[in-house]
Amino acid sequence: MKKKKKWIVIAIVGIILAALIGAGLWFFLGRDGQESQSRGDRNFGQMGSMISDGITAYGVTSIGISQVEFEVENLSTGLEISKVFISSGEQVQEGTAILELTQESVQEAREELEQVLLEAELAYRAGAIEYEQSLITAEYERDLALVKSDQAREVYEETLEGLTGKLEKAQEEFSDAQERIAEYHSYVDNGTYRSYFEVDKYQKLYDENLQLLKDRMDQWDVDWSQVTGGIRPGENNQYVIVLSGLYKVLEQNLKDLESAQDAYEDAVANASFELQTLELQLPELEQAVWDAKEDYEAQSLSAKVTYETTLNNGTYAEKNYEAAVEKAQADYDLLQDTYEDAKANLELFESNGGDGQFYATQNGSILRVMARAGQNLTSGATVFVYSNPEEMTVTVSVDQSQIADITVGDKAYVNGTYEGVVSEINPITEAESYTDVTYDVIVTLSGDLGELTSNETVMVTFGEVKLNIPSSDGAPVEGQRPEGMELPEGMGFPEGMEFPEGMERPDGNGGRGGNSSQRNKEGEQSRGDSGENSSIVIGEPAEKKNQEGSVEDAQ
């Protein structure tokens, strides 16, 4: 029993000692941590912090990877590769020979490109002539449209007058035919021609004289032989003389009657023929009237449309002229571009491949070689892939609620210093949910990247960037540079940075390099305690400069 109680006492004492040790460690370590953080906050508060009116996110840098392609276009000839001089992992400089081509294939490709250039040049020269002709034609058509517009009313009225004349002529011919038919009917059916040629008159006169002659012959006892035989020599019979004279008159009456009868019969025959002809022509003449009416309606409407169109063409003559000139210019420019492209294409071939070798155009490290000896090098073919130290990308995640404020082509700033451009935005769903979406935004940087390295965590700011600089006593800066103010390590003042009135620009000497991840940590601490700050706008500088001359860290 005593032994058991002893072990219980030992266990309780051990627990108490462990609790005391833990409390002591928490006291000392927690105090040191708080003091350290307090010191860091105070120091960064003296140096200043980076803030943004836009969106801020963190990402990791990656060295740019470039594909080198055979950029000569529209080349059907395959350039045969005889040798490849590089392999994966090698470092190449601009101008390093990458591969060798056979002279036969190079010459064949050159001839093809020269032929394309010749054809493009001939088309371009012919196009220059056509362009000038098009300008002349466009000017002529504009002037013609203006002249026609001025004469449109007169032409329209003349057209209507001509159509009216045709209709009236057709109506007149039809009416004339109807009148002639009625006239011929009267001649033939009503005996008008008989009266016209006085047939009955001559017939009556003949009958009366004949009867008179007969009556006198009976009265005077003279026979026909005496009357018709004439007066015999020695015969002195006054009755015979009178009757012979009367007989001669009767003979003339007969001739007149026969002549009138013949004329009458001929006229009736001709009238019957004309009547028949006119009756046959009458339907055709009537149809001609209807055709003239329809033609008048159609042609007058067409003339009106032509009239209005001509006026409209005159109104838009200048615009049509400008459109024609613009089209001619576009066609000419297309031929010129084709010629210049063919020329540049040949020059590109001669500058890289024309001497039988293909060269590197930039410095970099070879990652993969695509070209192989014995293969053909064709337009657009990838020759090799290499890392480009002058290009870098940063990938950051942006929430769906903020992505609308970011578009491809926007400027972004890495660590508030290096300017980049948003090159890609790719959506990524999380937790198998289509409503919880974030976006991978890729920012591309190029040029002098200073101390940035691959796989480095950096802060990316989309939008306007500002630098907060508090005074030494926590009050806002009022036109004076705070005593001892310095930027976080590795950071300089970008070109174009604006300072408050009365503040001198730091000269940037005496800076020391630093780890960018450490700078990020300091930046994160500074967000917790910014105090009463005044802001200096960095904005979007027109060009970036090397940040090797950053000022020293705050004391």
Side-chain angles (χ1 to χ4, degrees):
M1 181 64 68
K2 291 181 179 180
K3 186 176 181 180
K4 185 176 182 180
K5 289 182 178 181
K6 180 180 178 180
W7 284 106
I8 292 173
V9 172
I10 293 173
I12 292 173
V13 172
I15 292 172
I16 293 173
L17 290 175
L20 292 174
I21 293 172
L25 290 174
W26 175 84
F27 176 77
F28 289 105
L29 293 178
R31 181 181 179 183
D32 291 342
Q34 291 177 353
E35 290 179 352
S36 175
Q37 180 174 356
S38 177
R39 287 193 302 270
D41 290 345
R42 288 194 300 271
N43 289 337
F44 201 83
Q46 293 175 356
M47 293 184 295
S49 62
M50 299 301 298
I51 65 169
S52 169
D53 289 344
I55 301 169
T56 300
Y58 291 86
V60 179
T61 59
S62 299
I63 291 295
I65 296 177
S66 301
Q67 291 188 146
V68 177
E69 298 179 349
F70 183 59
E71 297 179 349
V72 176
E73 299 176 346
N74 303 321
L75 180 62
S76 59
T77 301
L79 291 165
E80 184 178 353
I81 302 173
S82 58
K83 295 179 183 179
V84 178
F85 302 125
I86 60 171
S87 59
S88 300
E90 292 186 15
Q91 294 288 331
V92 295
Q93 301 295 322
E94 179 181 353
T96 301
I98 303 300
L99 52 84
E100 185 178 71
L101 305 169
T102 63
Q103 290 300 321
E104 294 80 4
S105 63
V106 169
Q107 182 60 29
E108 184 178 353
R110 178 180 291 109
E111 292 174 356
E112 178 186 345
L113 294 176
E114 288 176 347
Q115 181 62 31
V116 171
L117 176 59
L118 177 61
E119 293 175 357
E121 183 179 5
L122 293 176
Y124 169 56
R125 294 181 182 276
I129 299 175
E130 292 179 2
Y131 171 71
E132 296 297 335
Q133 292 176 342
S134 298
L135 295 183
I136 296 173
T137 301
E139 185 176 0
Y140 168 77
E141 291 178 349
R142 179 196 61 186
D143 296 342
L144 181 62
L146 293 174
V147 171
K148 286 185 175 180
S149 178
D150 294 338
Q151 300 175 348
R153 185 69 187 180
E154 182 180 352
V155 173
Y156 174 60
E157 291 176 351
E158 289 179 355
T159 302
L160 291 183
E161 184 178 349
L163 293 172
T164 302
K166 289 181 180 179
L167 176 59
E168 291 176 349
K169 181 180 179 182
Q171 291 174 334
E172 183 179 350
E173 289 178 350
F174 178 67
S175 298
D176 183 61
Q178 286 180 318
E179 291 176 0
R180 292 175 64 189
I181 287 174
E183 180 183 356
Y184 286 136
H185 270 297
S186 68
Y187 291 163
V188 175
D189 299 336
N190 301 330
T192 304
Y193 271 171
R194 190 175 185 88
S195 299
Y196 177 78
F197 290 104
E198 299 179 333
V199 176
D200 292 337
K201 172 186 173 183
Y202 288 118
Q203 183 68 48
K204 181 180 178 181
L205 181 61
Y206 174 78
D207 290 341
E208 288 178 350
N209 287 335
L210 178 61
Q211 187 63 43
L212 178 62
L213 178 62
K214 287 180 179 181
D215 291 343
R216 293 293 181 268
M217 286 176 64
D218 292 340
Q219 181 181 356
W220 293 337
D221 191 22
V222 178
D223 57 20
W224 279 103
S225 63
Q226 290 177 310
V227 173
T228 58
I231 300 175
R232 296 180 180 88
E235 185 176 17
N236 187 16
N237 189 339
Q238 58 181 359
Y239 294 114
V240 173
I241 295 173
V242 171
L243 292 176
S244 295
L246 183 58
Y247 179 73
K248 289 180 180 180
V249 172
L250 184 62
E251 285 181 337
Q252 184 61 44
N253 293 150
L254 180 60
K255 289 180 181 180
D256 292 339
L257 175 60
E258 290 175 350
S259 176
Q261 188 72 31
D262 291 341
Y264 164 70
E265 291 175 356
D266 290 342
V268 169
N270 290 334
S272 299
F273 177 77
E274 291 292 334
L275 177 62
Q276 185 179 6
T277 302
L278 289 172
E279 288 177 344
L280 292 175
Q281 291 178 346
L282 190 62
E284 182 179 350
L285 294 173
E286 185 177 11
Q287 183 63 43
V289 173
W290 287 106
D291 292 343
K293 288 181 178 180
E294 292 179 356
D295 187 59
Y296 175 84
E297 293 176 357
Q299 293 296 328
S300 61
L301 180 60
S302 176
K304 184 177 182 180
V305 172
T306 302
Y307 166 66
E308 293 176 350
T309 302
T310 304
L311 289 180
N312 187 66
N313 290 340
T315 303
Y316 293 97
E318 192 64 34
K319 290 185 177 180
N320 293 336
Y321 168 75
E322 293 174 357
V325 170
E326 184 177 353
K327 182 181 183 303
Q329 186 67 51
D331 294 340
Y332 176 71
D333 290 343
L334 179 61
L335 293 173
Q336 184 178 19
D337 291 343
T338 302
Y339 165 67
E340 292 177 352
D341 289 345
K343 184 178 180 180
N345 203 36
L346 178 59
E347 292 174 352
L348 177 62
F349 170 76
E350 294 294 354
S351 65
N352 199 358
D355 62 350
Q357 290 188 338
F358 185 83
Y359 302 95
T361 57
Q362 293 181 351
N363 303 336
S365 177
I366 302 298
L367 300 179
R368 184 179 179 185
V369 180
M370 306 298 193
R372 297 287 185 273
Q375 293 180 344
N376 284 339
L377 187 61
T378 57
S379 297
T382 300
V383 180
F384 63 94
V385 179
Y386 74 105
S387 62
N388 185 355
E390 296 184 357
E391 291 186 1
M392 184 173 291
T393 61
V394 181
T395 303
V396 298
S397 295
V398 178
D399 189 76
Q400 184 178 9
S401 62
Q402 297 177 309
I403 197 63
D405 296 330
I406 302 175
T407 58
V408 173
D410 286 353
K411 290 184 179 180
Y413 297 91
V414 175
N415 289 346
T417 302
Y418 304 104
E419 181 181 315
V421 177
V422 176
S423 57
E424 293 183 40
I425 300 177
N426 302 312
I428 302 175
T429 58
E430 294 183 350
E432 299 182 355
S433 171
Y434 290 99
T435 59
D436 186 11
V437 179
T438 59
Y439 290 78
D440 271 355
V441 179
I442 300 177
V443 176
T444 300
L445 303 96
S446 60
D448 186 0
L449 302 179
E451 299 175 354
L452 286 182
T453 60
S454 180
N455 298 322
E456 180 179 339
T457 301
V458 293
M459 179 179 68
V460 179
T461 303
F462 304 93
E464 188 179 44
V465 179
K466 295 181 180 180
L467 177 63
N468 286 346
I469 306 177
S471 63
S472 58
D473 58 357
V477 176
E478 297 181 356
Q480 297 295 330
R481 173 180 176 182
E483 187 68 25
M485 187 210 83
E486 296 177 357
L487 295 179
E489 62 179 277
M491 178 180 294
F493 287 95
E495 187 71 21
M497 175 176 174
E498 298 178 3
F499 289 84
E501 183 178 358
M503 176 179 288
E504 297 180 358
R505 177 184 178 87
D507 57 12
N509 296 326
R512 57 183 176 84
N515 186 283
S516 61
S517 61
Q518 179 182 353
R519 295 197 303 269
N520 293 336
K521 291 178 182 179
E522 293 176 353
E524 292 172 358
Q525 292 173 355
S526 68
R527 288 194 296 273
D529 182 16
S530 59
E532 296 180 357
N533 301 330
S534 63
S535 297
I536 297 176
V537 179
I538 295 177
E540 298 183 357
E543 60 180 5
K544 298 300 178 182
K545 63 185 293 185
N546 194 334
Q547 303 297 332
E548 294 177 356
S550 60
V551 299
E552 293 182 355
D553 295 331
Q555 299 298 324

